[in-house]
Amino acid sequence: MEMIQIPEIDLTSLAPVLVLSVFSMMVLLFDLFAGKNKSGLVFISLTGLLMAAISAFAKQDLPVYSFGGAYVVDNLSVFFTCIFCISSALAILLSIEYNRRERINMGEYYALILFCTVGMILLASSTDLIMIFLGIEIVSICLYVLAGIRRYDPKSNEASLKYFLLGAFATGFMLYGMALLYGTTGSTKLAQIAQLLNSGEVFSQPLMLLGVVLLVIGFGFKVASVPFHMWAPDVYQGAPTPVTAFMAVGPKAAAFAAFFRIFAEGIPELAPSWTMILSIVAVISMFVGNLGAIVQTNIKRLLAYSSVSHVGYILIAIIAKNSLGGASLLFYMLAYAFMIFGAFGVVILLGRKGDENLEIENYSGLGFKHPVLAMSMSIFLLSLGGLPPLAGFVAKFYIFQAALKEGFVILVVLAVLNSAISFYYYLKVIVYMYMKEPIKEFQLSLTPITMLVIGIGVLGTLELGIFPDTIISLAKP
């Protein structure tokens, strides 16, 4: 195989990372002079995210490798960078009124979201194990702080501590797995690892497989797949609602990007070994997530278990490891962003200071009192379940198609069965909204920015469901 000349330093490739790093520091600096009004910081943060998304397209003739092959700008990384910028912008927009209501008056809140986005872009663009680890750590540390940013709230503190302890534990597994991969191949670069595996020049196959198992455990925690999902319901419930929405989309998408790179690009030769492990994890995640969600009475915990089941569907895209698998992973994460931010936008609107109204019975009669809100929530929930012609259906369809192409028929049948099970708890919320009497008066302040996020969510969910071709063609390599 002919070696391609790779430039050592290419700052244009790093443009989104550099832009966001500068804007994060500007947020911290301006916070010193902002006083109690943080709206200027919101403007700086959103400008930074917009510029980062634009700078992601600075490179032509993709893929472009740099830093000795440790960093790549390709279709996958550019598309993921756009998803990260969209999800971070939506999280910031959801935070404006929520933070005012909950008195989260800290400028570093916005800086942490931007720094977290830097880590997510590194994760999606790195082709070196050390760089991937660096990205994971940047994302994790920001999330530990964001989960516990309501310092006066014991639930928020508990969420942060649980996430930190379990996260640190899982990071150890992941790092050990990476060390074993390096020990058996003598390289941390995914392309070289793939090349060595292809030529059979591996120091020890059993050690290599042990490294793969440890990586599955580490990434399993980061994406909240069963049996590494224990933290998700508690952290989702305790963290501020915009942070919960952010965690459910951006960092999860970033972890899946790295997951896909390592498994589908770095160690495809070991596919017979890891395909079986991931298939079992995917099936258990779908069943445990859906069955766990059925018994929940708290909307945030219900969406947490629902996200565990969605991890099962997304893992199928990694198992398929073909070009449609990569494109369907990107499409799924984009569709999921619109659905989740929209749903959490409704959750935020229904809450008020000191009482977030998170019990599902609090949604009783919403369809009569606030039909537009109830209709929006119904669209998001039905899309999460996979009802045509909404985005969730098309996203699942592409993933199932990618899996069927590779012959994973039983896996797809089990996934379709789980989609049917999931309608039980999604419809439960809709039944409460339209078929039950209100148990108390709704005291909503229909704040314009949160309504805007819900509107963007509805538009995105319908647009991707009815006209998916443009996005899927952009997502294909």
Side-chain angles (χ1 to χ4, degrees):
M1 186 177 158
E2 194 184 327
M3 283 302 287
I4 307 159
Q5 193 60 37
I6 296 167
E8 278 303 309
I9 294 171
D10 179 6
L11 295 181
T12 319
S13 295
L14 267 184
V17 170
L18 297 174
V19 166
L20 276 178
S21 300
V22 168
F23 274 89
S24 307
M25 291 175 213
M26 276 172 65
V27 168
L28 288 173
L29 198 63
F30 276 88
D31 183 38
L32 295 171
F33 313 103
K36 289 197 171 174
N37 184 10
K38 305 292 182 190
S39 48
L41 304 184
V42 172
F43 177 73
I44 295 169
S45 305
L46 293 174
T47 309
L49 288 166
L50 179 65
M51 287 181 69
I54 294 167
S55 67
F57 297 94
K59 282 288 180 187
Q60 304 299 318
D61 305 322
L62 306 180
V64 177
Y65 290 86
S66 53
F67 298 93
Y71 194 87
V72 65
V73 179
D74 58 3
N75 248 25
L76 190 82
S77 70
V78 169
F79 201 106
F80 264 120
T81 300
C82 293
I83 292 176
F84 302 148
C85 291
I86 290 168
S87 65
S88 301
L90 290 174
I92 287 168
L93 288 172
L94 275 186
S95 304
I96 296 170
E97 270 117 8
Y98 181 88
N99 287 2
R100 209 172 289 149
R101 186 180 84 200
E102 298 292 324
R103 301 212 179 120
I104 300 171
N105 206 23
M106 294 166 230
E108 52 268 41
Y109 178 92
Y110 301 106
L112 283 166
I113 289 179
L114 295 189
F115 278 126
C116 192
T117 315
V118 169
M120 292 179 334
I121 295 169
L122 278 178
L123 259 180
S125 307
S126 299
T127 47
D128 184 290
L129 293 175
I130 296 170
M131 289 280 286
I132 288 171
F133 181 71
L134 194 69
I136 282 172
E137 283 307 283
I138 294 171
V139 170
S140 300
I141 290 164
C142 294
L143 289 180
Y144 300 150
V145 181
L146 282 169
I149 203 136
R150 283 190 298 192
R151 282 178 287 193
Y152 55 83
D153 182 0
K155 273 192 180 152
S156 189
N157 298 342
E158 181 195 345
S160 182
L161 192 62
K162 276 184 180 170
Y163 193 28
F164 169 67
L165 292 174
L166 287 167
F169 188 59
T171 302
F173 278 104
M174 186 182 288
L175 198 54
Y176 202 179
M178 288 177 174
L180 289 175
L181 239 61
Y182 171 67
T184 50
T185 58
S187 176
T188 55
K189 295 193 171 54
L190 298 181
Q192 284 178 20
I193 291 172
Q195 215 174 328
L196 289 163
L197 274 169
N198 205 10
S199 58
E201 297 170 34
V202 177
F203 172 66
S204 163
Q205 195 80 10
L207 271 185
M208 184 89 182
L209 292 174
L210 181 59
V212 171
V213 171
L214 291 172
L215 279 176
V216 170
I217 293 170
F219 276 113
F221 173 84
K222 296 298 172 194
V223 299
S225 63
V226 177
F228 319 107
H229 68 294
M230 298 80 71
W231 60 273
D234 290 336
V235 174
Y236 275 41
Q237 187 181 358
T241 308
V243 173
T244 305
F246 179 61
M247 282 164 63
V249 179
K252 186 170 285 185
F256 271 119
F259 210 146
F260 187 81
R261 277 222 195 275
I262 291 178
F263 283 74
E265 292 179 17
I267 50 174
E269 289 293 318
L270 296 176
S273 311
W274 59 255
T275 299
M276 180 51 75
I277 301 169
L278 286 190
S279 300
I280 293 166
V281 170
V283 171
I284 299 173
S285 296
M286 288 186 276
F287 275 107
V288 171
N290 284 324
L291 296 174
I294 286 172
V295 297
Q296 297 305 316
T297 58
N298 179 297
I299 191 81
K300 270 172 134 181
R301 290 183 79 86
L302 183 142
L303 287 169
Y305 276 103
S306 148
S307 83
V308 171
S309 72
H310 281 275
V311 167
Y313 305 127
I314 301 166
L315 281 172
I316 297 173
I318 294 172
I319 293 163
K321 69 182 184 306
N322 51 24
S323 63
L324 183 59
S328 61
L329 170 65
L330 290 164
F331 186 89
Y332 203 106
M333 290 319 305
L334 182 62
Y336 192 66
F338 288 124
M339 298 184 279
I340 284 291
F341 276 105
F344 277 111
V346 177
V347 171
I348 287 171
L349 278 185
L350 278 172
R352 57 179 188 272
K353 174 75 183 132
D355 180 14
E356 290 202 72
N357 281 330
L358 295 176
E359 292 302 307
I360 294 169
E361 60 186 23
N362 294 338
Y363 287 67
S364 303
L366 187 68
F368 309 113
K369 300 280 183 181
H370 299 279
V372 175
L373 266 189
M375 189 68 203
S376 304
M377 190 63 160
S378 301
I379 288 171
F380 300 134
L381 293 174
L382 292 171
S383 182
L384 284 166
L387 189 79
L390 302 171
F393 167 76
V394 181
K396 283 179 183 169
F397 173 80
Y398 281 126
I399 281 186
F400 297 164
Q401 193 183 351
L404 287 172
K405 229 178 182 180
E406 300 296 316
F408 296 105
V409 180
I410 296 170
L411 201 55
V412 171
V413 169
L414 289 169
V416 171
L417 176 68
N418 270 283
S419 288
I421 295 171
S422 70
F423 275 108
Y424 178 84
Y425 57 86
Y426 291 131
L427 287 170
K428 180 169 80 172
V429 181
I430 295 170
V431 165
Y432 269 98
M433 290 194 296
Y434 286 101
M435 296 178 187
K436 299 272 174 109
E437 289 296 317
I439 56 166
K440 59 180 178 182
E441 215 35 60
F442 291 107
Q443 296 178 328
L444 304 191
S445 53
L446 297 173
T447 46
I449 299 172
T450 311
M451 290 297 284
L452 171 72
V453 173
I454 294 169
I456 292 169
V458 170
L459 273 175
T461 305
L462 293 171
E463 164 75 25
L464 290 178
I466 300 165
F467 307 110
D469 291 354
T470 320
I471 298 295
I472 206 79
S473 60
L474 284 173
K476 277 187 179 167

